[in-house]
Amino acid sequence: ATTLGAAAAGSGRYFGTAVASGRLGDATYSTILDREFTMVTPENEMKWDAVEPSRGSFNFAPGDSIVSHASAHGQKMRGHTLVWHSQLPNWVSSIGDATTLRSVMNNHITQEMSHYKGRIYAWDVVNEAFADGGSGQHRSSVFQNVLGNGFIEEAFRTARTVDPAAKLCYNDYNIENWSDAKTQGVYSMVKDFKSRGVPIDCVGFQSHFGTGGPPASFQTTLSNFAALGVDVQITELDIAQASATAYGNTVKACLNVARCTGITAWGIRDSDSWRTGENPLLFDNSGNKKPAYSAALTAL
Ligand code: XIL
């Protein structure tokens, strides 16, 4: 195969990218997008601050433009993201009453998932709920602080009732190294959810890596999570300076795990990346394929 999407499809997987709605009119950008990628994640357009900037007032237009583009080009969608402490409007983070916040969270999930029902392959229902460092516990957030530990379970249960056909994922960063406390915390949560029948279908490993790429244990981590009975996906891949070896190793880790169902790069050209100056993506600023592209394609 001569494209990332076609090569990934050869083993039943997808290869995706984050897309910014404002760049769809850039012909270089959209040409690469539609040639190479079979899955699309909106980079910002489905986040709470974009979708519900004030209570009960929903704006789906930017997200809709990405869904329309994807649909017209045979690409599937990952929905990103419903419950996250970041890019969260002040009107939500300032709620102090649990009954109100529970209703606001469930309404947000319900309205957004209903709007996109039938068009989303997988939702990042909860993003980045675990703390960095050695605690292995949830991070501080309005959801955690006002609703307590059960907010994640509640979000997944609500999500399942709204769109039973969508895969429901937990997504986080720095959970790629098996021995890290954060990884173990998320693993324990998924194990508990599966044992109690809390609906969870997948875990997204963001995979924002430094110059060395994935930790040596990455494949072990993917495989151990998959053994709990969930799909695993690489959801936001970028690697500082984009070493070809590091990209190849990342792709191989996924390909070696049967339930690693796909890989998403967090942008197309280096100039599209949120990591300014790190040149972490597969295409250079002019849209040319980088050595990392060839390494990824070869590994697929
Ligand atoms: C980033 C976007 O790429 C930026 O454009 C935005 O300013 C901040 O968020 N983890 C996530 C993504 O789950 O949503 C983040 O995306 C990167 C880190």
Side-chain angles (χ1 to χ4, degrees):
T2 59
T3 66
L4 298 169
S11 68
R13 294 177 172 85
Y14 65 81
F15 208 107
T17 182
V19 164
S21 56
R23 299 186 200 269
L24 287 172
D26 173 334
T28 304
Y29 182 86
S30 59
T31 297
I32 300 169
L33 168 61
D34 300 334
R35 185 186 69 218
E36 299 286 343
F37 297 103
T38 52
M39 182 72 73
V40 165
T41 305
E43 187 171 2
N44 290 296
E45 291 79 352
M46 291 189 184
K47 294 173 180 176
W48 199 314
D49 60 354
V51 167
E52 192 184 8
S54 60
R55 187 173 176 178
S57 182
F58 288 85
N59 179 18
F60 294 114
D64 288 355
S65 74
I66 295 180
V67 173
S68 300
H69 183 99
S71 167
H73 295 89
Q75 295 146 337
K76 293 184 179 176
M77 293 287 309
R78 296 190 82 267
H80 177 77
T81 177
L82 297 167
V83 179
W84 186 27
H85 67 276
S86 186
Q87 294 180 268
L88 184 68
N90 282 330
W91 72 266
V92 182
S93 44
S94 61
I95 295 173
D97 171 63
T99 305
T100 305
L101 184 60
R102 182 171 292 111
S103 155
V104 159
M105 181 185 82
N106 287 327
N107 183 59
H108 181 78
I109 293 169
T110 301
Q111 297 300 321
E112 182 162 2
M113 288 188 76
S114 298
H115 180 81
Y116 290 114
K117 191 170 179 172
R119 295 163 168 262
I120 304 291
Y121 160 77
W123 273 105
D124 291 331
V125 178
V126 176
N127 196 35
E128 302 183 351
F130 277 73
D132 296 315
S135 77
Q137 301 297 308
H138 297 172
R139 73 167 64 237
S140 173
S141 73
V142 69
F143 303 107
Q144 177 66 28
N145 301 343
V146 175
L147 301 179
N149 282 329
F151 87 89
I152 303 179
E153 170 171 353
E154 173 135 2
F156 276 84
R157 289 193 187 278
T158 300
R160 181 67 96 219
T161 66
V162 181
D163 186 354
K167 289 187 181 290
L168 306 181
C169 304
Y170 176 78
N171 191 56
D172 214 330
Y173 66 92
N174 283 355
I175 58 166
E176 293 85 12
N177 186 23
W178 177 244
S179 62
D180 285 355
K182 188 172 176 182
T183 307
Q184 292 300 312
V186 175
Y187 180 82
S188 298
M189 177 190 74
V190 175
K191 190 174 184 184
D192 170 58
F193 280 13
K194 295 301 286 184
S195 76
R196 291 190 298 111
V198 179
I200 184 168
D201 305 305
C202 35
V203 175
F205 297 80
Q206 291 185 9
S207 308
H208 296 295
F209 293 133
T211 52
S217 63
F218 188 33
Q219 185 181 315
T220 298
T221 302
L222 294 174
S223 151
N224 287 347
F225 273 84
L228 294 176
V230 289
D231 290 342
V232 294
Q233 302 167 347
I234 294 172
T235 52
E236 305 184 12
L237 179 61
D238 49 23
I239 303 178
Q241 306 312 328
S243 124
T245 303
Y247 262 98
N249 288 343
T250 305
V251 170
K252 281 179 210 159
C254 179
L255 269 282
N256 285 337
V257 175
R259 290 196 75 163
C260 183
T261 57
I263 300 169
T264 295
W266 204 243
I268 298 178
R269 301 162 298 192
D270 287 332
S271 49
D272 301 316
S273 174
W274 70 308
R275 294 172 67 174
T276 308
E278 296 192 70
N279 302 316
L281 295 174
L282 297 170
F283 297 87
D284 70 17
N285 296 351
S286 303
N288 300 306
K289 297 168 182 174
K290 293 165 61 181
Y293 172 96
S294 309
L297 185 65
T298 302
L300 282 167

